[in-house]
Amino acid sequence: MSTTGVTARVTIKSPDQMQELGRRLAPLLRPGDLVLLTGELGAGKTTLTRGLGEALGVRGAVTSPTFVIARVHPSLTGGPALVHVDAYRLGGGLGEMEDLDLDVSLPESVVVVEWGDGKVEELSEDRLHVVIGRAVGADAPGGLGGHPEEDVDDVREVTVTGVGARWADAGLPELEIC
C-alpha cells in the first residue's frame, strides 16, 4: 500500500507561472517517475508539461497529445525522455492504457499522464499527483477584494502530492512561484 509523502500548494496567476512550475518540478524528476495531472479542460496541464519538457531538455514542442494519445519527447541532454499522455478519450482503466506500453517506457522515462486519475495508478506505487483547480469567487486572489489587474480566469490553485516512499524527502515545499 502506498503512502503519501508530502504535499505542496501554490497559487498560480498566469500561464507563464504554470510553465515555471513545470520548470521547477523537473529537477525533482528522474527516470521511472510517473506524474498524474488532474484538472478541468483549460486548467493548464499541458502548459505545466511544456515547462517540464523545457527544463528536462527534450526534443520537440510539447503540445497536447489529445488526438495521438501519447507523444515521446527524447532527451537532447542525455536525461530521461518525456512521455506525454492524454488519457481524456480513454474510458477504461489500466487495460486500455496497456496498449500504450507505458510500463515499458516508465523505467527509462518520465511519464506524464493528463486525465490519468483512476487509469494509471497501478503503474507505480510512487507517483507525483498534480491537481490544478480554478480559484473561484472571493477566495480567488484577484477576485472580490483582490487586485483587479489580475485576470481571475488565469488564477489556479495547484496541489502537488508525492505518493509513496520516493517522494518523502523530495523537496516539494520549495515550489513557491513568484
Side-chain angles (χ1 to χ4, degrees), residues 30-36 72 80-83 85 94 100-113 120-128:
R30 61 185 186 210
D33 281 343
L34 175 64
V35 181
L36 275 68
V72 178
L82 173 66
V83 178
V85 179
L94 191 58
L100 299 175
D101 288 332
L102 294 180
D103 54 335
V104 173
S105 301
L106 189 59
E108 71 271 356
S109 304
V110 170
V111 176
V112 177
V113 183
V120 298
E121 289 89 342
E122 295 173 33
L123 285 173
S124 177
E125 287 186 16
D126 298 306
R127 59 192 171 276
L128 194 62

Side-chain angles (χ1 to χ4, degrees), residues 12-86:
I12 300 294
K13 298 178 183 176
S14 70
D16 288 341
Q17 285 188 351
M18 186 66 77
Q19 195 162 336
E20 177 62 21
L21 177 59
R23 287 190 288 267
R24 291 196 182 202
L25 284 172
L28 302 176
L29 300 174
R30 61 185 186 210
D33 281 343
L34 175 64
V35 181
L36 275 68
L37 302 180
T38 301
E40 63 189 41
L41 287 170
K45 297 178 296 293
T46 299
T47 302
L48 185 140
T49 306
R50 191 171 297 120
L52 287 173
E54 181 183 310
L56 290 171
V58 300
R59 184 177 68 209
V62 175
T63 59
S64 177
T66 299
F67 296 104
V68 295
I69 309 295
R71 275 198 182 92
V72 178
H73 298 275
S75 175
L76 295 171
T77 62
L82 173 66
V83 178
H84 184 198
V85 179
D86 187 331

Side-chain angles (χ1 to χ4, degrees), residues 12-15 40 42-43 133-136 140-143 150-156:
I12 300 294
K13 298 178 183 176
S14 70
E40 63 189 41
R134 202 165 257 159
V136 292
E150 293 175 358
D151 187 350
V152 177
D153 289 338
D154 284 342
V155 177
R156 305 289 191 262

